[in-house]
Amino acid sequence: MSTVIRIQREDFDPQAEADALTKGRPDVGALTTFTGFCRHEEGALSALELEHYPGMAEKELQRIVDEARKRWPVQGITVLHRYGKIMPGERIVFVAVSGGHRGEAFAACEFIMDFLKTSAPFWKREHKVDGSQGEWVEAKDADDKALERWK
Amino acid sequence: MSTVIRIQREDFDPQAEADALTKGRPDVGALTTFTGFCRHEEGALSALELEHYPGMAEKELQRIVDEARKRWPVQGITVLHRYGKIMPGERIVFVAVSGGHRGEAFAACEFIMDFLKTSAPFWKREHKVDGSQGEWVEAKDADDKALERWK
Amino acid sequence: MKAVYFAWVRERVGKPEEILTPPASVITVADLIAWLKGQGEEYAYAFENGHVIRVAIDQTHVKHDALIADAREIAFFPPMTGG
Amino acid sequence: MKAVYFAWVRERVGKPEEILTPPASVITVADLIAWLKGQGEEYAYAFENGHVIRVAIDQTHVKHDALIADAREIAFFPPMTGG
C-alpha cells in the first residue's frame, strides 16, 4: 500500500519507479502507468515553464491519491510531477498504479490524472521557438468534462 | 502510427518498448502502458503455463489494434504477449499506447486489454507449489462484463 | 479439413491436430461438434458441454451456426484466458 | 494574513507574496478580492475577471464564499494547467 509523491525539477526513471511497485511483489497482477510529455505543438514551442505552489502541490496530490484509494482496492501508487523548464519530448508527469487486477489499476490511474490536471496547483507557460515569450496555457473545458465520469 | 505485435517466449523490456514509441517524437503528449504479471495466488502457485494458437493469436491482436485505431486517433500501439512457463512476479503481457492526449491513450490501452482477455487465443494452466498440476484457469464473467463498456 | 485443438480440448481429445472427413450432411460448426461427439469416448468427453467450446475457422472466431463449407483449418478451444 | 500569487496573477500583481491587512468588513474570499481590486491598477488588472481566479486558504482549495477568518495563508491563482 505504498504511496510515493514527488515534485522535482529533474527528470525521473519510469522503469525504476515501476520496478519499485512490482519487484518482489508476487501479489501484483496489474500495473498501469501514464507518462505525460511536453509536445512541440507543430514545432512552435521551444519549451514549457512549469510553475507550482510548493507545499500545496504535494498536499493536493496526496488528497487525490487518498480519494483514489477510497474508491479502488489498489496496491502501490506513484505520482511524480516536474517543474521548471521542460523541453519538447521531455517527461512532465508520471502516474503508476499497481493492483491485483487491471480494472482498478486503470481506473485509479486515469482518475488521478484527471484530478491532477484540474486541481493540482501547477501552471504551464509556453516559450516560442521564435524567441518570444508565449502565453500561459489556458485550462481546457475537456479537462473539466473528464471529471464528470467520476461523479 | 506504428504498430508492434509480438508473441514470444522470452521476457521483454517495457522501457525500451516505451522509448520506441516516444523518443524523437515531440508530437507525443501521452503514453499509457499496462503490464500484466503472474500472481502467486497467496503462495499456492509455482508457475503459469501459457498456451496459444500460433498464427491466430497474432491475427486476433492485430484485429483488436485495428478496431482501437478506428475508435481513437492514437499514435503508436505496442502489444506483447508471452507464452510458455511463467513464474510468479514475471511479466505476461504488455500494452502501450501513445497519443497526443491522455483520454484516447487510456481508452485505447484499456480497450485492447479487455478484448485481448476475451478474444485473443491464449490459455493459462496453473502449476501448484505442492507439485501437483493445477487446473486450466477458467474464464471470468468479469472479463465478459468489461466488454460492455465498449459497445 | 484440418482440425486443431487447444488447452483442455486438446488434452481430452488426446492430440493437437488431425484431418477430419465428416459426411456431407455436416454443414455447420454445430453439426461438426455433434458428429465429433460420436467419434469415440475422448471426443464425447471433450465436447460434452459443446456450447462452451469456442471455434475458429481459418483463424477467425465463428459462432456455432457458421458454415464449415470452405474451411481449411477449424480450431476448437475453451474460452480464452490470456492477458 | 499572507497572500501568495501564482502564474499570471503573480505577474499582474507584480510580486509573489505580501502581507495583507484588510479592514474588518472583509469577511469572505469574495470580499477580499473586491477589496484588493481597489488597492491599485495592478490589482484591478489581476482581478479584473475575479470569478475565474482560484483561491486556496492554508493550501486547500476554497470557493469565493469561504470565510477568511482564520486564514494564515491565502493563495490566488488561475485555473490549473499541470499534468
Side-chain angles (χ1 to χ4, degrees), chain B residues 51-53 55-56 59-60 81 93 116-125 136-137 139, chain C residues 4-8 10-11 54 56 58-61 73 75 77-83:
Chain B
E51 179 172 336
H52 75 298
Y53 184 175
M56 180 170 171
K59 268 191 200 171
E60 195 61 19
H81 202 301
V93 63
L116 183 157
K117 278 266 175 186
T118 50
S119 82
F122 291 87
W123 302 273
K124 290 193 186 101
R125 170 172 224 155
W136 289 95
V137 173
Chain C
V4 293
Y5 308 109
F6 294 96
W8 55 254
R10 172 180 52 71
E11 288 187 335
R54 305 296 180 94
D58 296 333
Q59 306 192 345
T60 298
H61 291 293
E73 181 172 293
F77 43 77
M80 283 68 79
T81 57

Side-chain angles (χ1 to χ4, degrees), chain B residues 19-70:
Chain B
D19 286 348
L21 294 183
T22 60
K23 290 253 172 174
R25 289 292 306 262
D27 53 328
V28 170
L31 175 75
T32 304
T33 75
F34 176 83
T35 311
F37 295 86
C38 175
R39 288 188 308 271
H40 68 159
E41 306 299 358
E42 272 99 53
L45 198 79
S46 68
L48 283 175
E49 183 83 30
L50 262 287
E51 179 172 336
H52 75 298
Y53 184 175
M56 180 170 171
E58 289 85 348
K59 268 191 200 171
E60 195 61 19
L61 293 178
Q62 182 68 56
R63 199 185 60 76
I64 296 166
V65 167
D66 291 346
E67 181 61 32
R69 285 197 184 281
K70 267 187 228 162

